C-alpha cells in the first residue's frame, strides 16, 4: 500500500482566525490612520499575524514597521508580539533559523515581564520548528512543557491545542496508541467547551482522520476529513481547505479512484502555491507522483518527486525526504535502473532512521531486499528482509493493537458517562423543582427519592458490571493473542538459519526460492495473527506453505495429504487461527523426520455432528513412546500452548473444545475437537 504525505494541523497560536475579510478591514483602517501612535501599532501587529498563512512576505514587511514603531513608543509588549509574529511568517516560508531567532527575542522580553502564558506559547512555537525539521521527539518535549504551563493557568483551549500537537508528533513516531489518546483527549475538551464549529476542532478532527487513514480504516477516515472540510468552508479558511483537498485525495487513491485523487491534490497545490507555502506545495507534488507510480507513469512520477525533493531539502524535512527517496527508488526499480534504485532506497533508509520512523525504515528495507534480489545479491537481500521482519514485529506488536482498542472503548465510555451524568443532573433538577412545589406531600417525596436512589444505584451497578465484563473479555482476547504469538519465534529462527546455510553453501537458487516461500509464509502469518478465527481454507493454505518449507529442510523429505469432508464449506467454516501448527511441527520433527523418506503426514477435517468439528494430524513416525526426553518435552510445549488457547476459548465462548492424543503402533494421531462454526449462515 502506498504511503501518502498527509497535511497535519498544529500551527494555531493566536485566538483569531486568519480570514481575508479581516485583512481587508484592517488594511482599510490602516489607510485612514496616519499618526504613528498605538492605534497604528495595533493594526500593524494584527495584520502581521493575519498575513502569515496568506502572504508571509508581506507580513514580514508589515511587522518590520511595527517593530520600529513599538521601539519608538517603548511598548515592549507589542515589540515582543511583533517578534513572535515574524517567527510565524518566517516559519511559513521555511526559514526556520530566523523563526527560532525571532521566538528567542520575543521570549527574552516576555521573561522580563513574567508573562508565563506567552512564554508557553513561544515554547509551543519552537516545537513546531523542530517538527518541521522532523525532530519529533524534541518537538514533543516542547509540547509537553507548554501543556503543563497551560494546565497550571487552567487554559483548556490551549491545553487542547497542545494535545493535538502531541498527537501529531506521536503519529510521526509511529506510536499510534499515544497519538489516538491525545486526539481523543483534545476532542473531549472541545466538546465540553461546546466548541465544535471552530478551526481548532476542525484541525483535531482532520488529524484523527489522518490517523485512521494510517490504520487503513478508510471509510471512518473519510467521515472525519469531510467533517473537517465543512468547517473550513464555513470559516473560509483556505489553508485548511487545501489540506482537506490533499487528505481527501489520499483516501480516493487508496480506494483506487486515481483521477479524483489527482484533482484534489492539484486543488491543494494551487492554494499552497498562491500563499508560497513550500511544504504544502511539496506535499501535493509528492502525492501526485505517488498516484503516477500506481498508474505506472514512472517518468511523470520522477518529475513530480524531483520537484518535491528540492523543496524538502530547502526545508530540511527528513521524514518526507525519506518518502520521496523511497518512491524515486521504486520508480527506478520499475524501469530496471537497479543501481539508481538501490542508491535512493539507501538514502530513504538513512533518512528514516534519522527521523526515527519505524514504518519508513521497514518500507526502505523491503525496497532494498527487492533490489538486491534482482541484482542477485541474495546475501544482502537476506540481511535486509531479516532486519525488516524484526522492525515490523516491534511495530505490529499485540500490545499496540490492544492499546488502540482500549483507548477507543475508553473514549466511548467517557462519552456515555457524560451523557448519563447530564441526564441525571436534569432529572435531579426536575425533581428538586417538583419537591419545592409539593413539600406537603411527604409520602410522595420519600417514594420519589427512593425511586431515584434505586435507579441511580441500579445504573451504577449495571455499568460497573458492564465495565468488568468488557475488561475480562479484553483480557481473554489478549491472552489468546499472546498464546498465538508463542508459536512463531522458534520457527522463524530455524528457517533463517536454513536460508543462511544455503547462502554459505553457495546454493543461490535454493536460497532465493526458500526466501520467497518464507516471505509468503511470514506475510500469511502476520495477516492471520490478528484474528481469533479464520476460515478452513485460509488455515489450510497456511499449513500447506509451512509444510512445503519444512519439506525442503528435511534431508530425506516426506509426503503429506490433506482431506476435507465434502460436506464442509471450507470458505465458510471457521477454526481458531494456527491451532494445528504446533502438532504439525511435532509430527515433522519428532515423527517422520526420523524415517528414510517414507514419512507421511495426513491432515483431516471432518464434521462429527451439527455442533462439532474434528481437526486431526496423523503421522507414521516413531510415535510418542519412542521419542527421547527432549522431544517429549518439546511435544508437551505444543500441547500446553494449544490446551491453554482452548481453555481460554472454552471460558469465553462457553464451548467444550478439547485435544485428544492417540499413540499408535506406528506414529501418533492428534485430534482437536472444535465447535462447528460458520462465518455466515447459509440461506437453506
Amino acid at each position: 500500500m502506498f504511503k501518502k504525505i498527509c497535511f497535519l494541523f498544529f500551527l494555531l497560536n493566536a485566538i483569531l482566525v486568519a480570514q481575508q475579510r479581516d485583512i481587508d478591514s484592517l488594511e482599510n483602517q490602516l489607510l485612514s490612520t496616519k499618526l504613528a501612535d498605538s492605534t497604528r501599532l495595533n493594526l500593524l501587529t494584527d495584520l502581521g499575524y493575519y498575513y502569515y498563512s496568506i502572504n508571509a512576505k508581506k507580513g514580514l514587511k508589515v511587522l518590520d514597521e511595527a517593530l520600529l514603531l513599538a521601539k519608538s513608543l517603548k511598548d515592549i509588549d507589542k515589540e515582543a508580539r511583533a517578534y513572535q509574529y515574524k517567527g510565524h511568517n518566517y516559519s511559513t516560508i521555511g526559514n526556520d533559523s530566523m523563526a527560532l531567532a525571532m521566538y528567542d527575542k520575543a521570549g527574552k522580553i516576555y521573561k522580563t515581564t513574567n508573562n508565563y502564558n506567552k512564554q508557553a506559547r513561544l515554547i509551543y512555537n519552537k516545537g513546531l520548528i523542530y517538527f518541521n525539521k522532523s525532530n519529533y521527539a524534541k518537538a514533543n518535549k516542547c509540547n509537553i512543557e507548554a501543556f503543563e504551563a497551560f494546565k497550571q493557568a487552567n487554559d483548556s483551549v490551549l491545553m487542547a491545542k497542545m494535545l493535538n500537537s502531541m498527537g501529531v508528533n506521536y503519529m510521526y513516531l509511529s506510536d499510534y496508541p499515544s497519538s489516538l489518546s491525545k486526539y481523543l483527549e483534545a476532542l473531549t475538551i472541545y466538546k465540553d467547551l461546546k466548541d465544535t464549529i471552530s478551526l481548532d476542532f476542525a484541525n483535531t478532527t482532520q488529524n484523527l482522520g489522518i490517523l485512521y487513514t494510517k490504520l487503513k480504516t478508510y471509510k471512518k477516515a473519510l467521515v472525519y476529513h469531510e467533517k473537517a472540510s465543512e468547517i473550513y468552508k464555513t470559516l473560509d479558511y483556505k489553508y485548511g481547505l487545501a489540506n482537506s483537498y490533499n487528505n481527501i485525495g489520499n483516501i480516493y487513491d487508496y480506494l483506487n479512484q486515481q483521477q479524483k485523487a489527482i484533482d484534489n491534490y492539484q486543488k491543494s497545490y494551487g492554494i499552497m502555491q498562491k500563499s508560497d507555502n513550500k511544504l504544502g506545495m511539496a506535499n501535493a507534488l509528492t502525492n501526485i507522483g505517488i498516484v503516477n507510480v500506481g498508474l505506472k507513469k514512472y517518468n511523470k512520477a520522477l518529475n513530480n518527486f524531483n520537484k518535491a525533493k528540492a523543496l524538502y531539502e530547502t526545508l530540511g524535512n527528513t521524514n518526507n525526504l525519506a518518502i520521496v527517496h523511497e518512491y524515486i527508488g521504486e520508480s527506478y526499480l520499475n524501469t530496471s535502473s537497479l543501481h539508481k534504485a538501490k542508491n535512493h532506497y539507501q538514502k530513504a533508509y538513512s533518512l528514516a532512521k534519522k527521523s526515527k520512523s519505524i514504518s519508513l525504515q521497514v518500507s526502505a528495507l523491503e525496497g532494498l531486499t527487492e533490489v538486491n534480489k534482482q541484482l542477485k545479491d541474495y546475501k544482502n537481500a537476506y540481511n535486509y528482509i531479516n532486519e525488516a521482519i524484526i522492525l515490523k514485529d516491534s511495530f505490529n506488536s499485540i500490545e499496540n493493537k490492544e492499546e488502540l482498542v482500549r483507548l477507543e472503548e475508553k473514549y466511548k465510555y467517557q462519552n456515555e458517562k457524560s451523557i448519563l451524568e447530564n441526564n441525571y443532573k436534569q432529572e435531579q433538577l426536575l425533581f428538586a423543582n417538583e419537591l419545592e412545589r409539593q413539600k406537603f406531600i411527604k409520602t410522595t417525596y420519600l417514594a420519589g427519592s427512593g425511586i431515584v436512589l434505586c435507579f441511580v444505584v441500579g445504573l451504577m451497578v449495571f455499568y460497573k458490571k458492564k465495565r468488568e465484563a468488557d475488561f475480562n473479555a479484553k483480557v481473554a482476547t489478549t491472552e489468546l493473542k499472546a498464546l498465538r504469538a508463542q508459536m512463531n519465534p522458534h520457527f522463524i529462527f530455524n528457517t533463517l538459519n536454513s536460508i543462511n546455510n544455503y547462502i554459505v553453501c553457495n546454493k543461490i537458487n535454493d536460497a532465493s526460492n526458500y526466501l520467497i516461500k518464507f516471505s509468503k509464509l511470514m506475510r500469511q502469518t502476520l495477516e492471520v495473527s490478528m484474528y481469533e478465527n479464520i476460515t478452513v481454507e485460509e488455515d489450510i493454505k497456511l499449513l500447506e506453505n509451512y509444510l512445503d518449507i519444512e519439506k525442503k529442510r528435511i534431508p530425506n523429505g516426506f509426503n503429506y495429504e490433506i482431506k476435507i469432508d465434502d460436506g464442509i464449506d471450507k470458505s465458510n467454516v471457521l477454526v481458531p487461527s494456527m491451532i494445528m501448527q504446533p502438532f504439525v511441527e511435532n509430527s515433522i520433527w519428532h515423527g517422520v523426520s526420523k524415517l528414510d523418506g517414507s514419512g507421511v503426514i495426513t491432515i483431516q477435517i471432518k464434521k462429527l455432528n451439527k455442533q462439532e468439528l474434528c481437526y486431526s494430524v496423523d503421522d507414521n513416525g516413531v510415535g510418542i513412546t519412542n521419542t527421547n526426553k527432549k522431544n517429549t518435552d518439546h511435544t508437551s510445549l505444543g500441547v500446553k500452548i494449544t490446551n491453554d488457547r482452548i481453555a481460554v476459548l472454552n471460558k469465553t465462548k462457553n464451548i467444550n473444545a478439547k485435544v485428544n492424543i492417540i499413540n499408535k503402533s506406528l506414529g501418533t494421531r492428534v485430534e482437536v475437537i472444535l465447535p462447528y462454526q460458520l462465518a455466515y449462515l447459509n440461506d437453506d
Side-chain angles (χ1 to χ4, degrees):
M1 181 62 67
F2 293 125
K3 289 180 295 301
K4 307 291 185 297
I5 303 291
C6 298
F7 286 96
L8 301 156
F9 289 93
F10 44 85
L11 182 58
L12 286 168
N13 308 293
I15 298 173
L16 299 177
V17 176
Q19 299 174 349
Q20 187 61 50
R21 60 177 176 271
D22 294 323
I23 290 177
D24 293 341
S25 175
L26 288 169
E27 286 177 337
N28 289 332
Q29 292 179 58
L30 191 65
L31 288 173
S32 62
T33 306
K34 303 298 183 181
L35 295 175
D37 56 10
S38 59
T39 301
R40 184 174 181 82
L41 178 57
N42 288 334
L43 290 170
L44 289 168
T45 51
D46 287 345
L47 267 174
Y49 170 73
Y50 285 128
Y51 275 133
Y52 89 86
S53 62
I54 292 178
N55 191 334
K57 290 181 180 178
K58 195 170 181 179
L60 288 169
K61 289 181 181 179
V62 168
L63 289 166
D64 283 337
E65 184 184 346
L67 273 173
L68 291 173
L69 185 54
K71 288 178 180 178
S72 68
L73 296 173
K74 297 183 179 179
D75 188 334
I76 59 172
D77 182 69
K78 289 294 188 299
E79 182 183 350
R81 189 174 298 182
Y83 281 128
Q84 182 177 351
Y85 293 165
K86 284 191 76 172
H88 296 351
N89 283 271
Y90 275 123
S91 178
T92 298
I93 62 176
N95 193 337
D96 293 337
S97 59
M98 284 299 295
L100 286 170
M102 294 300 105
Y103 291 147
D104 285 340
K105 287 185 178 182
K108 287 179 182 178
I109 296 173
Y110 288 140
K111 192 172 184 179
T112 61
T113 59
N114 295 323
N115 195 323
Y116 301 112
N117 186 282
K118 289 183 178 178
Q119 286 183 59
R121 289 172 184 261
L122 286 173
I123 294 168
Y124 173 42
N125 295 147
K126 292 176 77 171
L128 299 178
I129 301 299
Y130 293 124
F131 177 90
N132 287 332
K133 290 179 173 293
S134 301
N135 191 339
Y136 306 118
K138 202 165 186 178
N140 227 25
K141 187 177 179 182
C142 290
N143 294 151
I144 293 167
E145 187 177 347
F147 176 82
E148 291 302 322
F150 292 134
K151 188 175 180 181
Q152 287 183 354
N154 199 27
D155 192 331
S156 298
V157 173
L158 292 178
M159 286 167 60
K161 286 178 186 285
M162 297 306 101
L163 290 166
N164 179 47
S165 292
M166 282 186 260
V168 172
N169 286 308
Y170 281 126
M171 183 155 56
Y172 267 123
L173 290 168
S174 301
D175 186 353
Y176 294 161
S178 295
S179 177
L180 179 62
S181 174
K182 299 307 174 187
Y183 290 148
L184 294 180
E185 285 182 52
L187 286 179
T188 300
I189 291 175
Y190 290 131
K191 287 179 179 179
D192 288 344
L193 295 173
K194 294 182 171 32
D195 186 21
T196 56
I197 307 295
S198 68
L199 195 54
D200 293 332
F201 185 81
N203 293 344
T204 307
T205 301
Q206 184 87 303
N207 288 342
L208 193 54
I210 293 167
L211 178 59
Y212 279 119
T213 300
K214 287 180 176 291
L215 294 171
K216 301 180 183 179
T217 315
Y218 301 124
K219 290 184 179 179
K220 186 181 284 190
L222 193 57
V223 169
Y224 281 105
H225 286 312
E226 289 176 343
K227 190 181 295 184
S229 68
E230 288 303 313
I231 300 174
Y232 296 135
K233 288 177 184 176
T234 302
L235 298 173
D236 192 28
Y237 187 53
K238 291 182 172 58
Y239 180 75
L241 192 57
N243 295 343
S244 284
Y245 284 139
N246 178 82
N247 294 322
I248 291 171
N250 291 347
I251 302 278
Y252 280 126
D253 194 18
Y254 287 127
L255 295 173
N256 294 318
Q257 299 182 44
Q258 282 81 9
Q259 191 53 53
K260 282 188 176 181
I262 290 175
D263 290 344
N264 278 280
Y265 293 145
Q266 287 175 338
K267 288 178 184 177
S268 176
Y269 180 81
I271 295 173
M272 293 298 186
Q273 189 179 38
K274 284 181 182 178
S275 62
D276 194 31
N277 189 311
K278 291 182 174 59
L279 180 62
M281 292 162 62
N283 290 350
L285 285 167
T286 302
N287 287 335
I288 293 170
I290 292 170
V291 176
N292 282 319
V293 170
L295 295 172
K296 299 184 179 180
K297 297 178 180 179
Y298 300 114
N299 289 331
K300 279 189 176 181
L302 284 168
N303 183 45
N304 297 133
F305 292 140
N306 285 323
K307 288 179 182 177
K309 181 167 72 71
L311 290 168
Y312 287 138
E313 286 172 347
T314 301
L315 298 169
N317 192 314
T318 55
N319 190 86
N320 290 359
L321 264 176
I323 294 174
V324 168
H325 277 292
E326 181 188 335
Y327 280 109
I328 292 175
E330 183 171 343
S331 299
Y332 281 128
L333 180 65
N334 284 289
T335 55
S336 299
S337 301
L338 299 181
H339 290 289
K340 286 184 178 179
K342 183 177 180 180
N343 180 47
H344 283 284
Y345 277 127
Q346 286 173 334
K347 286 181 180 178
Y349 180 58
S350 176
L351 289 163
K353 287 180 71 177
K354 188 176 180 181
S355 67
K356 298 181 181 179
S357 173
I358 297 174
S359 60
L360 289 181
Q361 290 177 58
V362 170
S363 298
L365 288 166
E366 288 175 344
L368 284 167
T369 300
E370 185 59 34
V371 170
N372 281 282
K373 279 171 63 179
Q374 294 194 29
L375 289 170
K376 300 190 185 302
D377 185 354
Y378 297 110
K379 185 173 182 178
N380 273 326
Y382 160 74
N383 289 334
Y384 286 131
I385 196 63
N386 186 30
E387 192 171 349
I389 288 168
I390 293 169
L391 280 173
K392 194 177 289 186
D393 284 345
S394 68
F395 182 65
N396 291 322
S397 67
I398 292 169
E399 289 78 13
N400 273 0
K401 292 186 176 67
E402 286 297 318
E403 183 68 5
L404 286 173
V405 173
R406 185 189 68 79
L407 287 168
E408 285 192 291
E409 290 303 318
K410 177 183 175 183
Y411 180 62
K412 289 176 184 176
Y413 171 72
Q414 285 176 338
N415 280 344
E416 290 171 4
K417 180 182 176 183
S418 178
I419 292 168
L420 286 170
E421 286 176 348
N422 288 335
N423 289 342
Y424 175 66
K425 287 177 182 177
Q426 289 176 6
E427 288 175 359
Q428 289 289 82
L429 181 61
L430 289 171
F431 178 77
N433 291 336
E434 187 68 15
L435 183 64
E436 186 69 25
R437 192 171 64 89
Q438 299 182 0
K439 286 183 178 180
F440 66 94
I441 311 177
K442 185 175 180 181
T443 305
T444 305
Y445 164 70
L446 293 172
S449 298
I451 291 169
V452 172
L453 181 60
C454 291
F455 171 75
V456 173
V457 172
L459 200 61
M460 291 174 64
V461 171
F462 170 76
Y463 276 97
K464 181 179 179 182
K465 289 183 177 179
K466 182 178 182 296
R467 290 199 304 272
E468 289 175 353
D470 290 344
F471 176 75
N472 291 334
K474 287 188 178 69
V475 170
T477 304
T478 305
E479 288 175 359
L480 283 173
K481 289 183 178 181
L483 289 168
R484 290 200 297 272
Q486 292 179 34
M487 297 189 291
N488 298 322
H490 61 289
F491 163 67
I492 294 172
F493 176 78
N494 291 337
T495 304
L496 291 176
N497 277 339
S498 296
I499 297 171
N500 186 53
N501 186 55
Y502 282 133
I503 294 171
V504 171
C505 297
N506 204 28
K507 295 180 180 180
I508 304 301
N509 290 332
D510 288 340
S512 177
N513 292 334
Y514 202 104
L515 185 61
I516 291 169
K517 284 184 175 291
F518 173 65
S519 299
K520 181 180 178 182
L521 182 61
M522 287 300 95
R523 185 170 62 251
Q524 287 177 310
T525 303
L526 286 171
E527 286 172 354
V528 304
S529 63
M530 68 183 71
Y531 300 110
E532 182 180 323
N533 293 305
I534 58 176
T535 64
V536 167
E537 185 176 29
E538 290 171 324
D539 200 53
I540 290 300
K541 283 181 181 178
L542 187 69
L543 285 176
E544 284 177 339
N545 201 19
Y546 170 68
L547 285 160
D548 289 341
I549 286 178
E550 296 291 41
K551 279 180 72 172
K552 286 183 172 291
R553 294 175 60 202
I554 302 296
N556 298 320
F558 61 89
N559 294 312
Y560 71 85
E561 60 178 338
I562 298 174
K563 298 177 181 179
I564 303 174
D565 279 7
D566 293 336
I568 292 176
D569 182 357
K570 60 184 180 181
S571 65
N572 189 26
V573 176
L574 297 175
V575 293
S577 61
M578 302 174 68
I579 193 73
M580 300 303 293
Q581 192 270 347
F583 297 118
V584 174
E585 181 177 357
N586 285 336
S587 288
I588 294 169
W589 289 100
H590 310 295
V592 299
S593 65
K594 312 296 183 182
L595 304 178
D596 189 16
S598 60
V600 177
I601 294 175
T602 302
I603 298 172
Q604 186 173 14
I605 303 175
K606 61 182 180 180
K607 186 176 180 181
L608 297 180
N609 50 56
K610 289 184 179 181
Q611 285 80 36
E612 291 183 318
L613 183 79
C614 180
Y615 203 157
S616 64
V617 177
D618 200 321
D619 67 69
N620 64 341
V622 297
I624 293 176
T625 56
N626 295 321
T627 58
N628 58 31
K629 180 66 169 64
K630 180 181 177 181
N631 290 342
T632 302
D633 291 341
H634 190 95
T635 302
S636 298
L637 178 60
V639 174
K640 182 181 183 304
I641 292 172
T642 305
N643 275 328
D644 288 346
R645 288 183 66 190
I646 287 176
V648 175
L649 284 171
N650 287 341
K651 180 180 178 181
T652 57
K653 304 296 183 183
N654 196 24
I655 59 176
N656 189 28
K658 57 186 176 181
V659 177
N660 298 323
I661 300 177
I662 304 163
N663 188 36
K664 308 184 299 180
S665 57
L666 288 176
T668 305
R669 176 179 176 84
V670 178
E671 295 178 344
V672 178
I673 309 301
L674 299 166
Y676 189 78
Q677 184 178 356
L678 298 178
Y680 53 88
L681 295 177
N682 295 318
D683 293 335
D684 56 353

